[in-house]
Amino acid sequence: VVRIHLEDVYDLGGQFFLWEMAVAIAGERIGIQPFNQPNVEAAKVLARHMIAAYQEEGRLPMQASALESDGITVYGDIKNAGSPGEALNAFLEGAQAGAYIALQAYVTPNAETGNALQALRARLRERTCRATTLGYGPRFLHSTGQLHKGDAGRGLFIQFTSDAAEDADIPDEAGKPDSAMSFNVLKLAQAMGDRQALLDAKRQVIRFHLGRDVVGGLKRLTESIS
């Protein structure tokens, strides 16, 4: 039994410190290292490979698309689908027993996009009767990213990417104007790296590139779910 005096905890950093202590103690009791993130690191390594390719060739590694229609490009192992909606429905049919659906949105977060994503998530939950999760990329990689690639492997992963309406260069060196890459390129490299990490872990992944009309594309996909 470990007793922690709450006043001491708050002096050392508050509730977050208490949470870390609880995780560390639980990990010790069940014999694991709770702060290891091997699958998170795998996605980072693959993202760095994408960035290295971009810096060498001036573009990210090309991925063959399954189809392009209605302003949406679909990437994934989908056969006999004539539209993005059909591709999504076919992908859902591949769910195993106990599967969950993870929406990974590498798009600009705002209220309208958030509402469209939540509507899609709710429709997927109602249609499939499966648990659903939603996270904006790349920030979810440091929370649920380890779960996605280190769990029992039953997840269905739906990525969304887009062409950013606004972008900004990343300086090669602080305070200097030279830049070899923008933030939008970095975000797409992270999405592609995580996709490859999921595939390497034998997960099922599909990506919808929504172009500039993110909300419209999400709404069309939501309406297509049968």
Side-chain angles (χ1 to χ4, degrees), residues 166-188:
E166 298 181 1
D167 201 0
D169 291 333
I170 302 173
D172 294 334
E173 295 184 43
K176 295 186 178 181
D178 294 339
S179 173
M181 184 174 59
S182 72
F183 278 100
N184 197 44
V185 170
L186 174 60
K187 184 164 66 173
L188 184 55

Side-chain angles (χ1 to χ4, degrees), residues 67-98:
L67 65 93
E68 184 174 358
S69 177
D70 203 19
I72 301 174
T73 306
V74 184
Y75 297 87
D77 187 16
I78 301 296
K79 298 179 177 64
N80 301 320
S83 70
E86 290 180 6
L88 177 56
N89 283 294
F91 181 71
L92 296 174
E93 291 298 326
Q96 306 175 53

Side-chain angles (χ1 to χ4, degrees), residues 55-121:
Q55 292 173 332
E56 182 176 335
E57 302 177 14
R59 59 181 175 83
L60 291 169
M62 297 294 292
Q63 294 179 337
S65 62
L67 65 93
E68 184 174 358
S69 177
D70 203 19
I72 301 174
T73 306
V74 184
Y75 297 87
D77 187 16
I78 301 296
K79 298 179 177 64
N80 301 320
S83 70
E86 290 180 6
L88 177 56
N89 283 294
F91 181 71
L92 296 174
E93 291 298 326
Q96 306 175 53
Y100 65 94
I101 301 169
L103 305 184
Q104 303 177 334
Y106 288 86
V107 299
T108 302
N110 56 50
E112 189 176 13
T113 298
N115 289 337
L117 284 166
Q118 289 290 1
L120 174 58
R121 185 194 62 77

Side-chain angles (χ1 to χ4, degrees), residues 6-217:
L6 288 179
E7 289 184 2
D8 294 337
V9 168
Y10 280 99
D11 287 344
L12 291 170
Q15 291 179 325
F16 186 69
F17 177 80
L18 181 59
W19 168 248
E20 287 188 321
M21 285 292 295
V23 170
I25 294 167
E28 174 64 24
R29 292 298 300 271
I30 63 177
I32 65 169
Q33 167 49 269
F35 299 109
N36 280 352
Q37 309 180 92
N39 302 116
V40 172
E41 185 60 29
K44 291 180 182 179
V45 170
L46 289 165
R48 287 195 288 269
H49 289 170
M50 302 294 175
I51 292 169
Y54 179 84
Q55 292 173 332
E56 182 176 335
E57 302 177 14
R59 59 181 175 83
L60 291 169
M62 297 294 292
Q63 294 179 337
S65 62
L67 65 93
E68 184 174 358
S69 177
D70 203 19
I72 301 174
T73 306
V74 184
Y75 297 87
D77 187 16
I78 301 296
K79 298 179 177 64
N80 301 320
S83 70
E86 290 180 6
L88 177 56
N89 283 294
F91 181 71
L92 296 174
E93 291 298 326
Q96 306 175 53
Y100 65 94
I101 301 169
L103 305 184
Q104 303 177 334
Y106 288 86
V107 299
T108 302
N110 56 50
E112 189 176 13
T113 298
N115 289 337
L117 284 166
Q118 289 290 1
L120 174 58
R121 185 194 62 77
R123 182 73 182 101
L124 287 168
R125 182 191 61 202
E126 294 164 4
R127 150 75 167 80
T128 65
C129 297
R130 300 186 184 279
T132 58
T133 68
L134 167 62
Y136 279 108
R139 69 191 188 198
F140 75 83
L141 293 174
H142 292 278
S143 54
T144 54
Q146 173 64 36
L147 168 69
H148 293 163
K149 295 172 285 290
D151 64 6
R154 300 189 183 96
L156 295 176
F157 300 94
I158 305 174
Q159 285 190 338
F160 301 102
T161 55
S162 67
D163 298 323
E166 298 181 1
D167 201 0
D169 291 333
I170 302 173
D172 294 334
E173 295 184 43
K176 295 186 178 181
D178 294 339
S179 173
M181 184 174 59
S182 72
F183 278 100
N184 197 44
V185 170
L186 174 60
K187 184 164 66 173
L188 184 55
Q190 290 173 305
M192 294 172 67
D194 194 51
R195 172 183 179 273
Q196 189 58 54
L198 288 165
L199 293 174
D200 290 347
K202 310 302 183 186
R203 272 43 174 180
Q204 299 181 73
V205 191
I206 190 170
R207 176 163 73 96
F208 295 93
H209 187 75
L210 305 173
R212 291 290 182 91
D213 187 13
V214 173
V215 172

